Amino acid sequence: DVKVTQSSRYLVKRTGEKVFLECVQDMDHENMFWYRQDPGLGLRLIYFSYDVKMKEKGDIPEGYSVSREKKERFSLILESASTNQTSMYLCASSLVEYEQFFGPGTRLTVL
Amino acid sequence: AQSVTQLGSHVSVSEGALVLLRCNYSSSVPPYLFWYVQYPNQGLQLLLKYTSAATLVKGINGFEAEFKKSETSFHLTKPSAHMSDAAEYFCAVTGSSNTGKLIFGQGTTLQVKP
């Protein structure tokens, strides 16, 4: 069965902390994505990766970076967390045929 | 540029009633279209997809959607709502470049009343 896992379901961090969100997929997918989801705004793409070590900015990359050292793992990094980064973060993966498979999400609270 | 508009951020129906969730898209290339469902505190799950085959697409849990090119619409329907259908629903369209990106609508929350 297809699986995308995220390292934490809930996370609480302090302003200024460096935060790592990890995502792993077991489907050998080339593409991986990080979104944030906020009420009334739907899903907004932060970054995506179409191959190992390859990445492209999405719609809202400011304040975030990513790392993809292995095909199955895509990490989202908040260099210095701020309260406006409190959100639900969703990871997804896909083959080139577009259907994306989502992880369960990480609800991040920055105090 | 590609875009998706979901009409109505909240829809309320009675159990057993018809469910209709509206989605209109804008695309400069032949689109692929998707409907996803999200239950509380979970990720998104694919309901159905249109990839240029049959215009009437059947999905899981009794949902279906019809691709209407002339109306640039891809509305989601279910003949009879069940309490378990209460969730948030997202419509999505493929991006303009062949990168695998999807453009999501803002979501519609479906409430089912007993």
Side-chain angles (χ1 to χ4, degrees):
Chain A
D1 198 14
V2 163
K3 202 147 188 182
V4 179
T5 57
Q6 295 184 228
S7 50
S8 304
R9 294 298 307 274
Y10 300 92
L11 208 53
V12 179
K13 296 292 182 180
R14 298 282 181 189
T15 301
E17 280 191 77
K18 191 168 186 176
V19 181
F20 294 87
L21 303 183
E22 304 285 337
C23 175
V24 177
Q25 51 98 358
D26 66 358
M27 297 164 284
D28 202 35
H29 284 171
E30 289 89 359
N31 300 329
M32 296 188 75
F33 307 83
W34 275 108
Y35 296 90
R36 64 176 283 175
Q37 181 181 13
D38 301 287
L41 298 178
L43 274 70
R44 293 181 291 168
L45 182 64
I46 304 171
Y47 268 97
F48 75 101
S49 168
Y50 50 90
D51 201 351
V52 175
K53 297 189 185 294
M54 307 301 289
K55 61 186 179 185
E56 281 196 23
K57 293 179 180 179
D59 301 316
I60 52 165
E62 297 78 17
Y64 303 94
S65 62
V66 290
S67 172
R68 194 169 180 197
E69 297 296 320
K70 293 185 177 182
K71 190 174 186 180
E72 68 269 18
R73 187 181 298 270
F74 190 35
S75 302
L76 180 70
I77 303 155
L78 286 65
E79 297 290 343
S80 177
S82 64
T83 55
N84 63 12
Q85 292 178 310
T86 291
S87 186
M88 169 73 99
Y89 290 87
L90 292 165
C91 175
S93 71
S94 77
L95 291 171
V96 294
E97 289 83 13
Y98 299 109
E99 177 182 342
Q100 293 186 13
F101 295 86
F102 283 81
T106 295
R107 188 168 294 282
L108 173 67
T109 301
V110 182
L111 302 176
Chain B
Q2 271 52 4
S3 67
V4 174
T5 302
Q6 292 183 237
L7 297 174
S9 58
H10 288 84
V11 170
S12 181
V13 301
S14 298
E15 192 174 18
L18 171 71
V19 176
L20 171 60
L21 304 183
R22 300 177 186 272
C23 173
N24 288 88
Y25 70 92
S26 170
S27 178
S28 57
V29 298
Y32 288 4
L33 292 153
F34 303 82
W35 274 101
Y36 284 87
V37 62
Q38 184 182 33
Y39 298 103
N41 295 315
Q42 294 186 26
L44 276 67
Q45 177 184 0
L46 183 70
L47 270 179
L48 49 81
K49 61 183 177 183
Y50 166 76
T51 56
S52 74
T55 57
L56 182 62
V57 181
K58 294 189 184 299
I60 62 172
N61 300 339
F63 285 93
E64 64 181 36
E66 186 172 7
F67 173 69
K68 292 187 176 181
K69 185 178 178 180
S70 60
E71 299 178 9
T72 61
S73 68
F74 190 58
H75 301 332
L76 182 71
T77 60
K78 182 175 180 177
S80 177
H82 192 272
M83 297 296 291
S84 61
D85 295 326
E88 189 160 21
Y89 293 80
F90 292 92
C91 182
V93 66
T94 43
S96 56
S97 56
N98 187 25
T99 60
K101 290 200 298 183
L102 294 179
I103 311 301
F104 286 85
Q106 294 181 332
T108 298
T109 300
L110 176 66
Q111 180 187 26
V112 182
K113 297 181 287 187

